[in-house]
Amino acid sequence: MERLWGLLQRTQRLSPRPSQTIYKHVEGTQQWHLEEEEEDREEGAEPAAHFCPMELRGPDLGSRAGRPNLGLWATTGRRAAPYLVLTALLIFTGAFLLGYVAFRGSCQACGDDVLVVSEDINYEPGPDSHQGTLYWSDLQAMFLRLLGEGHLEDTIRQTSLRKRMAGSAGMAALAQDVRGALSSQKLDHVWMDTHYVGLQFPDPAHPNTLHWVGEAGKLGEPLPLEDHDVYCPYSATGNATGELVYAHYGRPEDLQDLRARGVEPAGRLLLVRLGEISFAQKVASAQDFGARGVLIYPDPADFSQDPHKLGLSSHRAVYGHVHLGTGDPYTPGFPSFNQTQFPPVQSSGLPNIPAQPISADIASLLLRKLQGPVAPQEWQGRLPGSPYRLGPGPGLHLGVNNHRVSTPISNIFGCIEGRSEPDHYVVIGAQRDAWGPGAAKSAVGTAILLELARTFSSMVSNGFQPRRSLLFISWDGGDFGSVGSTEWLEGYLSVLHLKAVVYVSLDNAVLGDDKFHAKTSPLLISLIENILKQVDSPNRSGQTLYEQVVVNNHSWDAEVIRPLPMDSSAYSFTAFAGVPAVEFSFLEDGQAYPFLHTKDDTYENLHRVLRGRLPAVAQAVAQLAGQLLIRLSHDHLLPLDFGRYGDVVLRHIGSLNEFSGDLKARGLTLQWVYSARGDYIRAAEKLRKEIYSSEESDERLMRMYNVRIMRVEFYFLSQYVSPADSPFRHIFLGRGDHTLGALLDHVRLLRSGGSGDPGAASSGVAPGLGFQESRFRRQLALLTWTLQGAANALSGDVWNIDNNF
């Protein structure tokens, strides 16, 4: 017994002091680290936890001699019990930590504080599969291996050789070939949608014209338009006559500057350069300032000056539509199925003035005739022998004779059904049509789309079963303003806003290889960052794409991330349908790809611009898009960073804060917007905590979280305006008085003297008469309650909403 007592005392001296595991968030990372923190205790001190050991009692046999022995055993039990319990607690804690780390590794959509997919993520195949458990590394390796078996370059070359203008016989033949290619991949579903849309084409019998105008107002010598079939779809038709004025890029600020320099744009024709904003925005701005017509030309200064690089010929004009919107402008807000006759309305984004592209050679002739002040230095271009003056110059007469044609277009779909959430769709698409050869414009995207469909079909055959459905879509009518995709969204909007998770666009993916940009919703930024770390750079050996973009800029998102512009094919998904979307682009360093939307956008020119690296860059885009699809279609929890929009609101409110003093002087306040933003931040944080404490194995709970997460973008569509009247209802990306941009433009009038609203065209609002308190109050209400509605929806059930209003 004395030997046992000594052993217990020695165990007490040698036993380790209790340790406490503390979770600490390390700034600058997206991971939580475990740090062991030993609490020093004096030897012999009582443990932090207090135990009440039970005293073991045997039957009382009346033997007094046996009682001292029982007392010794009881005393020994009391002393040993804390160590036995401590040992059990240590085992339990270790098991808990292993389970916690496994859960944290699988939580994919909890904002900045969530681990990304690790090598331990468990992807279970379906019950009929003979494969073992698939991990992220397995899926990644399988995808890269199967993707490498494709023939991207050959598909790009063959597609660029085919004439495929929307509505043409060549496009009909290509549509059948694409449908056949998808059908051969043994997808679950392959089908086609046909829409009858109004497209505008030049009239071969009456080509568009440009003439000098004499002093008596009579038409003089014509200026030759080298490319008679290059035009601006949806231009107003008819004639426009006026003096010529040079207006730089035709942005609202350019026209305001022009007016400030004593050159009035109203009543004149404007000569503007390609770039900075879309054709449609240039024409809309010109119309807002009272111009009669617009001529758009490519200035050599906007392209590479390297003599060793290819450049655009000086006699080439550039094609571009001028509808300030997307879809069929003659059935705004409604789908164009079965030639259904809708009320005779048209989109408010159609211009009332004519527009025509011209070549650099014609622009040079026009500039030489201009008088007036010399253009500022930043407006000077590189046309040879042309002194850049503002004008006005001699009179011009522009005649536009385009005509509208009811045209059938076809979208082609292929689907792999999901295993657990088949009614949630991850959508990837590419434009199929092209005005010219369209190698960069649509051949690259079409080739990558078909390769991804083939690759994912092969992965399914090898045991991969995505949780969510994958939709592969080939769009028609893209060159007329994303007509095919927008008509599909309009036709199925009531379904898609509930079921579409994300849209990934492959259009304009390869325009160079020096830089990488992602035009995207904020919800996808964190996921894009993670995927960039998984893809090798196509032109810097040994580096990932992430390492390439941060080499000169440690703020990777400032270098890479851009908002979705209206001329992006992904724009209507987010601004109209409320689906988060992304469009990737590899670009030339500093200068634009010169051949986009021209007859020179051939496979040979694209290959030469990339100096033979076209296959490598296209492969990098396919790897990037494919790994994004794996994450979006198979993570248990959607990897969408719903907390990002709090930062977006804060950034915009920072711009409004500049005018808080002016508003206060009028008895107005922005406090309601601040409160709504605070409620959104709190709702996002509350949801994040709920996800942390939940079990990934609870399929019902995971689905509930996924539904709330995937609809965040939809929450930012204003519910207080009509989709038919204001189709782009998104308060950050949309157009109309309900947007934050419109509110900011209006508030700026407090300091501009109230003479007008030159920036109104950028937010889709007609120029007003200055600051109006009633309009401000309505704008503030539209913005506030949309933001508040997003906060309420993110909170979950109505009994969970805790507003601070």
Side-chain angles (χ1 to χ4, degrees):
M1 190 61 65
E2 290 179 358
R3 185 175 302 172
L4 176 60
W5 176 250
L7 180 61
L8 288 172
Q9 286 184 320
R10 191 188 318 170
T11 302
Q12 183 175 1
R13 288 196 302 269
L14 296 178
S15 64
R17 290 185 289 272
S19 63
Q20 179 182 7
T21 301
I22 298 177
Y23 298 88
K24 291 187 177 181
H25 182 251
V26 180
E27 294 294 332
T29 72
Q30 295 187 4
Q31 300 187 18
W32 293 70
H33 296 267
L34 303 180
E35 296 187 356
E36 295 295 332
E37 204 173 85
E38 299 291 341
E39 293 185 359
D40 295 328
R41 300 181 184 273
E42 294 181 4
E43 192 168 330
E46 289 294 323
H50 299 283
F51 299 96
C52 300
M54 298 179 63
E55 186 173 326
L56 300 177
R57 297 181 180 272
D60 189 0
L61 302 178
S63 171
R64 300 181 62 88
R67 288 182 179 177
N69 291 338
L70 290 173
L72 179 59
W73 278 107
T75 302
T76 303
R78 282 195 299 271
R79 293 180 177 178
Y83 301 102
L84 296 175
V85 173
L86 181 61
T87 301
L89 281 175
L90 288 174
I91 294 172
F92 173 79
T93 301
F96 172 77
L97 289 178
L98 287 175
Y100 182 81
V101 171
F103 165 75
R104 292 297 303 280
S106 63
C107 182
Q108 302 303 316
C110 306
D112 293 335
D113 300 334
V114 184
L115 287 171
V116 298
V117 171
S118 71
E119 295 299 315
D120 298 325
I121 296 299
N122 189 357
Y123 289 89
E124 294 290 348
D128 298 330
S129 174
H130 299 291
Q131 302 290 329
T133 299
L134 294 175
Y135 297 92
W136 165 247
S137 57
D138 300 324
L139 287 174
Q140 192 178 40
M142 180 195 299
F143 169 74
L144 294 176
R145 174 175 57 82
L146 294 172
L147 180 67
E149 297 173 358
H151 305 282
L152 265 176
E153 189 176 12
D154 288 343
T155 308
I156 296 171
R157 181 191 293 108
Q158 295 302 321
T159 304
S160 65
L161 293 174
R162 304 182 68 162
K163 293 183 178 180
R164 54 192 192 284
M165 186 75 158
S168 67
M171 170 53 84
L174 179 60
Q176 293 301 324
D177 290 346
V178 170
R179 184 175 186 176
L182 292 176
S183 298
S184 69
Q185 300 305 326
K186 299 180 181 179
L187 304 178
D188 294 314
H189 309 281
V190 176
W191 74 100
M192 179 184 293
D193 264 354
T194 299
H195 302 263
Y196 293 84
V197 298
L199 304 182
Q200 198 186 66
F201 299 97
D203 186 349
H206 301 89
N208 299 340
T209 59
L210 186 63
H211 288 80
W212 295 111
V213 175
E215 293 182 0
K218 293 184 178 181
L219 294 186
E221 179 185 356
L223 285 91
L225 298 176
E226 296 100 333
D227 291 330
H228 287 289
D229 52 349
V230 182
Y231 70 113
C232 288
Y234 303 123
S235 164
T237 56
N239 303 311
T241 302
E243 296 176 313
L244 185 68
V245 167
Y246 172 58
H248 202 209
Y249 291 110
R251 299 168 295 188
E253 57 266 34
D254 294 332
L255 299 179
Q256 186 68 22
D257 193 8
L258 191 66
R259 180 175 284 171
R261 294 174 183 273
V263 181
E264 177 57 51
R268 289 167 169 156
L269 297 183
L270 302 187
L271 177 66
V272 301
R273 285 159 59 168
L274 183 74
E276 295 296 326
I277 57 176
S278 69
F279 277 49
Q281 289 170 304
K282 296 175 191 293
V283 177
S285 297
Q287 180 175 302
D288 287 339
F289 278 80
R292 292 183 178 177
V294 183
L295 301 172
I296 305 171
Y297 80 98
D299 197 291
D302 297 312
F303 301 97
S304 175
Q305 303 305 308
D306 189 340
H308 301 292
K309 291 187 176 182
L310 293 179
L312 185 65
S313 170
S314 61
H315 64 268
R316 283 292 189 210
V318 180
Y319 167 99
H321 79 88
V322 292
H323 172 216
L324 193 62
T326 62
D328 181 359
Y330 305 109
T331 58
F334 298 97
S336 301
F337 283 122
N338 302 325
Q339 304 190 56
T340 304
Q341 296 300 308
F342 288 97
V345 297
Q346 63 182 29
S347 168
S348 60
L350 284 174
N352 298 321
I353 60 175
Q356 174 67 27
I358 62 174
S359 68
D361 284 345
I362 299 299
S364 183
L365 289 175
L366 296 175
L367 279 170
R368 290 175 194 151
K369 299 289 186 177
L370 290 184
Q371 304 297 319
V374 175
Q377 183 59 42
E378 60 271 20
W379 288 32
Q380 296 290 324
R382 289 183 177 270
L383 288 176
S386 299
Y388 283 73
R389 293 183 178 273
L390 299 179
L396 283 177
H397 175 87
L398 172 63
V400 173
N401 302 308
N402 306 333
H403 64 291
R404 170 183 163 188
V405 179
S406 180
T407 308
I409 62 171
S410 298
N411 299 323
I412 304 164
F413 303 81
C415 173
I416 296 174
E417 278 198 39
R419 171 173 56 91
S420 302
E421 302 176 40
D423 57 333
H424 290 166
Y425 315 147
V426 178
V427 187
I428 183 165
Q431 174 183 329
R432 186 176 70 255
D433 65 302
W435 172 80
K441 179 60 183 177
S442 62
V444 169
T446 298
I448 295 175
L449 178 75
L450 294 176
E451 285 301 317
L452 288 174
R454 180 196 61 78
T455 302
F456 275 89
S457 176
S458 298
M459 289 177 68
V460 170
S461 299
N462 281 269
F464 171 58
Q465 293 194 13
R467 298 179 61 82
R468 300 171 195 93
S469 296
L470 285 162
L471 263 62
F472 302 92
I473 310 180
S474 175
W475 304 115
D476 199 351
D479 264 358
F480 292 84
S482 302
V483 174
S485 58
T486 303
E487 294 307 306
W488 184 67
L489 290 171
E490 289 175 343
Y492 301 99
L493 184 61
S494 57
V495 173
L496 293 173
H497 91 264
L498 296 171
K499 298 188 175 185
V501 177
V502 164
Y503 176 65
V504 180
S505 170
L506 297 173
D507 295 340
N508 303 312
V510 180
L511 304 175
D513 67 347
D514 296 319
K515 285 189 172 184
F516 174 81
H517 285 169
K519 302 167 186 175
T520 183
S521 161
L523 294 172
L524 289 162
I525 293 176
S526 296
L527 178 59
I528 292 170
E529 178 182 10
N530 177 249
I531 298 298
L532 288 178
K533 296 175 181 178
Q534 311 284 328
V535 179
D536 291 336
S537 168
N539 63 355
R540 298 192 182 181
S541 179
Q543 284 189 342
T544 65
L545 275 178
Y546 181 82
E547 291 168 337
Q548 175 181 333
V549 299
V550 300
V551 65
N552 294 321
N553 192 336
H554 295 293
S555 178
W556 82 272
D557 52 345
E559 178 71 19
V560 170
I561 301 301
R562 300 288 185 273
L564 283 166
M566 183 177 286
D567 58 351
S568 165
S569 60
Y571 176 82
S572 56
F573 273 85
T574 300
F576 173 71
V579 177
V582 60
E583 178 181 288
F584 304 115
S585 293
F586 280 91
L587 307 167
E588 287 291 285
D589 189 10
Q591 301 293 334
Y593 174 70
F595 306 123
L596 201 63
H597 293 297
T598 74
K599 294 179 180 178
D600 293 330
D601 184 16
T602 63
Y603 169 82
E604 290 76 18
N605 278 340
L606 180 60
H607 199 275
R608 290 169 63 190
V609 165
L610 290 166
R611 297 173 295 281
R613 289 201 291 269
L614 174 58
V617 181
Q619 189 82 357
V621 173
Q623 291 180 16
L624 183 67
Q627 294 187 58
L628 196 71
L629 294 182
I630 294 174
R631 291 287 310 279
L632 289 167
S633 67
H634 213 287
D635 283 5
H636 279 73
L637 203 65
L638 283 172
L640 301 179
D641 189 354
F642 49 83
R644 283 271 185 175
Y645 263 116
D647 300 330
V648 172
V649 179
L650 181 61
R651 186 166 62 249
H652 284 289
I653 287 178
S655 301
L656 286 171
N657 280 340
E658 180 184 347
F659 302 95
S660 58
D662 303 86
L663 292 170
K664 187 176 181 180
R666 291 173 173 257
L668 302 171
T669 179
L670 296 168
Q671 182 57 44
W672 302 119
V673 177
Y674 304 152
S675 297
R677 182 225 172 226
D679 284 339
Y680 182 86
I681 295 296
R682 283 184 286 275
E685 184 60 29
K686 181 181 177 182
L687 178 56
R688 182 179 287 118
K689 289 179 179 178
E690 287 181 27
I691 293 172
Y692 279 159
S693 60
S694 62
E695 291 293 334
E696 188 187 71
S697 59
D698 189 333
E699 290 287 342
R700 176 180 172 275
L701 191 59
M702 289 300 105
R703 183 178 175 86
M704 289 174 58
Y705 289 146
N706 283 336
V707 168
R708 284 162 69 181
I709 293 169
M710 67 181 278
R711 294 182 188 169
V712 166
E713 200 76 67
F714 179 77
Y715 302 154
F716 290 108
L717 300 187
S718 177
Q719 305 301 306
Y720 307 100
V721 295
S722 164
D725 298 332
S726 301
F728 304 119
R729 293 178 293 150
H730 202 286
I731 60 174
F732 300 117
L733 289 176
R735 292 180 54 79
D737 230 25
H738 60 282
T739 63
L740 198 149
L743 175 64
L744 186 56
D745 285 340
H746 187 198
V747 169
R748 288 194 181 105
L749 295 179
L750 289 168
R751 298 185 182 177
S752 66
S755 58
D757 193 352
S762 64
S763 54
V765 183
L769 301 175
F771 184 83
Q772 304 165 48
E773 182 175 327
S774 60
R775 178 187 168 199
F776 169 80
R777 289 182 181 276
R778 183 175 186 276
Q779 286 179 302
L780 192 63
L782 289 172
L783 179 67
T784 298
W785 286 110
T786 303
L787 182 56
Q788 186 65 48
N792 293 345
L794 197 62
S795 295
D797 294 306
V798 291
W799 50 82
N800 292 323
I801 297 172
D802 183 21
N803 290 340
N804 279 356
F805 268 56

